[in-house]
Amino acid sequence: MTIESVIPVTHDRLRRELSARQVQMIAIAGTIGTGLFLGTGRSLAQGGPASVLICYGLVGFIVYVTLLLLGEMATQYPVAGSFNAYTTRFFSPAYGFALSWNYWFNDAVSVASDLTAAQLVLHYWTDWHPWVISFVFWVFLVSVNAIHVRAYGELEYWLSSLKVVTVIAFIIVGIFVNLGVNVEHRVIGFSNWAIEGAPFVGGFGGFARVFVTASFAYGGTESLGIAAGETKNPSSNMPKVVKFVFWRILLFYILSILLIGLNVPWDYPNLSNRSTTTSPFTIVFQYAGSSAAASFMNTVILSSVLSAGNHALFAGTRVLYGLSVNSPAQAPKVFSWTSSRGVPLPALALTSSVSALCFGSSFIGSGQLWGWLQNIVGVSNQIAWLSIGLASWRFRTAWVRQGRPLSELKFRASWTWPWGPLFVVCTVAMLILIQGWSSVIPHFSGIDFVSFYIEIPVMMIMYFAWLASKRRRKPIDVSAASEDTPLLGTEHAATSPWFHDIVDVNTVDLKVDEYEEAQRENAKIRTRQSFLRSLYNWVA
């Protein structure tokens, strides 16, 4: 009889079933998706080639620093809910409550955005009822996420591998196209940077607007922390993921965006309009003279939409689960129920239901709807990054104030001490404020303005609603918390002012939820992989 056979099945716990290779691909899959394959076309049309390259480079560096800050906390405390839990624990429970629901809605809307993007991709072949394919995709994604976390992990691994290979192929083809191997048999060089309107299209407003599409594109890297609660041996695997994944992503983005700006003119017909958006990747393969290759590229983009939707559905489901297991609960307890395989099915059902927004494209146009959803998701990503900066600032302050040596940190991004959190908070706050410039100047656009800024007042309302509801409760005993139950720092609730519940860094418990590796897991780490497997994982 095995140990597992005498352990009762529980229905309130996630499973640590994701391997290091799967977690790496989860982070890549959440970033190399519709934002790169389709969003770059919208960015190029709105801001021009120079704006796209500069904005994506700046946002990329901000996100890299943010990822390092998150890695410190996720390695030390690999709990369900990730940065939402860290913000709640180290900064403010009320803010963490508002952030968590905001980020859950972000993931749910991302699924709708990806399914809408599928309709845009299908316009390359046909205009026949594209929403039908979106519905088929929706059923497939829900089914995969309902089976087992390993099914999700394997699907992401192979779809992400396909995307990585495709981006590498695009970079190679893009270089040759620029050097003259194209249907016009001419060297393109920087000629598209010299056409009328380029390289900065729309002035400062166009430049600022690219920030939100860049944030949409980079969004998802922070979800690797959400997967920490289901990652094998997190204190070893999470630092590997943090150190290596983003450099690969940044490399792919910057090279791809440079080649897109060089080869595709910003005023290319149907690059981005109300009814459709054309992928610059497909356009470059058309320039190469191969309609078959362009069609294959579009197929890969369609698969990337499936991958991105799969990733968003997974992340949103886990965020909602994390809300329900908080103490006190920040969501109904029904969402903490998991199947015998460790899948939170009620949370999955609610998250997937929001994606019905994608069917609104029949009334307002796929291109227009996707643009609005992209703005909402992009701003939500920025709020998440800003919150990671706030949580890291308070976490590091508490660590130093309470006299714990830095050597006890399982992972430390030493070159970001002490400026990292402040840098992230200030730069992201600036992006959130200026990126809606084009919705106000030179003409006010109410719908665009709402899509840029609606989440700020909503978060404020939820913040004060949590404060009001919390004051009706008595402080609770948090001694029974587990790795799946992030602490909320309720010990100061009775004495904090009515307008905030900032956590006291001098008393917050830094010991609870620290993950201790099992001897069996450490033994697995020391097992040497085969040369071919190690080489494949490094390339992929």
Side-chain angles (χ1 to χ4, degrees):
M1 179 179 294
T2 63
I3 295 177
E4 288 79 2
S5 64
V6 297
I7 298 178
V9 176
T10 60
H11 293 279
D12 61 350
R13 296 289 295 274
L14 301 178
R15 302 286 188 87
R16 296 190 184 277
E17 299 285 355
L18 295 177
S19 64
R21 67 179 178 87
Q22 290 173 334
V23 175
Q24 290 185 34
M25 282 302 179
I26 285 172
I28 293 176
T31 304
I32 301 181
T34 52
L36 177 61
F37 291 129
L38 284 175
T40 47
R42 183 169 181 251
S43 298
L44 182 62
Q46 292 178 338
S51 295
V52 174
L53 187 62
I54 294 172
C55 289
Y56 276 72
L58 288 175
V59 175
F61 178 72
I62 293 171
V63 176
Y64 175 56
V65 176
T66 304
L67 196 63
L68 291 172
L69 304 184
L70 176 60
E72 283 187 345
M73 295 181 289
T75 304
Q76 201 74 20
Y77 308 102
V79 297
S82 184
F83 61 88
N84 303 305
Y86 306 138
T87 304
T88 298
R89 178 173 179 174
F90 298 114
F91 181 62
S92 162
Y95 183 86
F97 169 76
L99 172 68
S100 298
W101 276 104
N102 174 77
Y103 197 72
W104 169 79
F105 185 69
N106 162 53
D107 286 322
V109 170
S110 292
V111 180
S113 174
D114 293 328
L115 294 177
T116 304
Q119 300 174 22
L120 295 173
V121 174
L122 286 169
H123 284 168
Y124 181 80
W125 294 297
T126 180
D127 292 330
W128 179 84
H129 301 304
W131 64 268
V132 175
I133 301 298
S134 293
F135 178 74
V136 173
F137 277 7
W138 179 85
V139 172
F140 176 73
L141 293 179
V142 174
S143 300
V144 168
N145 279 267
I147 297 173
H148 196 286
V149 67
R150 281 182 295 187
Y152 158 79
E154 280 304 308
L155 178 63
E156 283 300 274
Y157 183 78
W158 293 109
L159 287 178
S160 297
S161 297
L162 175 63
K163 289 191 291 187
V164 169
V165 171
T166 301
V167 172
I168 293 174
F170 168 79
I171 292 173
I172 296 172
V173 172
I175 292 174
F176 280 104
V177 167
N178 189 261
L179 294 177
V181 184
N182 52 61
V183 292
E184 298 179 358
H185 304 290
R186 70 179 180 90
V187 176
I188 298 176
F190 281 84
S191 61
N192 287 323
W193 285 50
I195 62 177
E196 184 178 357
F200 293 97
V201 176
F204 180 77
F207 175 81
R209 190 163 188 154
V210 175
F211 280 121
V212 74
T213 52
S215 299
F216 172 84
Y218 280 109
T221 50
E222 71 281 349
S223 294
L224 70 87
I226 292 175
E230 294 168 90
T231 302
K232 297 176 181 177
N233 197 21
S235 68
S236 175
N237 287 333
M238 293 305 294
K240 294 178 183 177
V241 174
V242 171
K243 287 179 179 179
F244 298 119
V245 168
F246 195 77
W247 281 115
R248 301 175 192 177
I249 293 172
L250 191 61
L251 181 66
F252 290 147
Y253 261 88
I254 297 303
L255 279 179
S256 297
I257 289 167
L258 174 62
L259 291 170
I260 287 170
L262 292 176
N263 294 324
V264 181
W266 70 269
D267 57 355
Y268 184 89
N270 293 328
L271 184 61
S272 180
N273 57 42
R274 177 182 177 87
S275 60
T276 187
T277 296
T278 305
S279 170
F281 284 71
T282 302
I283 296 171
V284 169
F285 276 95
Q286 287 178 333
Y287 281 164
S290 175
S291 58
S295 185
F296 172 76
M297 183 70 238
N298 224 47
T299 304
V300 172
I301 295 173
L302 196 59
S303 72
S304 78
V305 168
L306 187 66
S307 173
N310 187 38
H311 173 84
L313 187 56
F314 171 85
T317 300
R318 269 57 186 180
V319 169
L320 185 54
Y321 169 85
L323 283 167
S324 67
V325 299
N326 278 340
S327 182
Q330 296 177 315
K333 281 294 184 182
V334 65
F335 296 117
S336 66
W337 189 91
T338 62
S339 68
S340 59
R341 296 178 179 269
V343 178
L345 293 179
L348 173 64
L350 183 60
T351 305
S352 61
S353 66
V354 178
S355 57
L357 285 170
C358 69
F359 301 118
S361 61
S362 302
F363 305 100
I364 62 177
S366 298
Q368 184 71 67
L369 176 62
W370 188 66
W372 292 342
L373 294 177
Q374 190 183 48
N375 289 347
I376 293 172
V377 174
V379 174
S380 182
N381 290 333
Q382 293 169 343
I383 292 174
W385 301 337
L386 183 146
S387 303
I388 292 171
L390 290 173
S392 176
W393 164 52
R394 301 295 287 178
F395 163 68
R396 289 182 173 185
T397 302
W399 197 272
V400 174
R401 288 269 187 91
Q402 296 186 28
R404 292 196 60 175
L406 298 181
S407 59
E408 290 186 6
L409 289 171
K410 294 180 173 63
F411 169 68
R412 179 184 174 221
S414 57
W415 68 276
T416 65
W417 284 66
W419 59 271
L422 182 62
F423 168 78
V424 169
V425 171
C426 293
T427 53
V428 175
M430 181 182 66
L431 293 184
I432 293 174
L433 292 177
I434 70 171
Q435 65 196 2
W437 180 279
S438 61
S439 67
V440 179
I441 298 174
H443 304 291
F444 180 76
S445 172
I447 295 178
D448 288 343
F449 183 84
V450 168
S451 68
F452 280 119
Y453 297 113
I454 184 61
E455 292 179 79
I456 297 176
V458 169
M459 281 199 64
M460 292 178 64
I461 292 172
M462 298 187 73
Y463 173 86
F464 287 109
W466 175 259
L467 286 179
S469 65
K470 187 189 68 173
R471 294 191 176 280
R472 298 191 184 98
R473 306 188 189 103
K474 295 179 180 180
I476 65 169
D477 180 17
V478 296
S479 60
S482 67
E483 64 184 31
D484 285 330
T485 309
L487 299 184
L488 301 188
T490 56
E491 65 276 359
H492 64 293
T495 58
S496 60
W498 67 268
F499 53 88
H500 77 78
D501 59 351
I502 303 297
V503 174
D504 186 355
V505 294
N506 295 306
T507 60
V508 62
D509 194 338
L510 297 177
K511 292 289 187 180
V512 175
D513 293 337
E514 283 191 289
Y515 185 73
E516 298 296 336
E517 305 291 358
Q519 292 182 359
R520 181 174 59 180
E521 289 178 327
N522 287 329
K524 288 181 179 179
I525 300 174
R526 292 190 293 268
T527 302
R528 180 174 299 177
Q529 290 181 315
S530 68
F531 173 76
L532 291 178
R533 168 61 71 178
S534 300
L535 179 62
Y536 174 77
N537 286 339
W538 182 84
V539 173

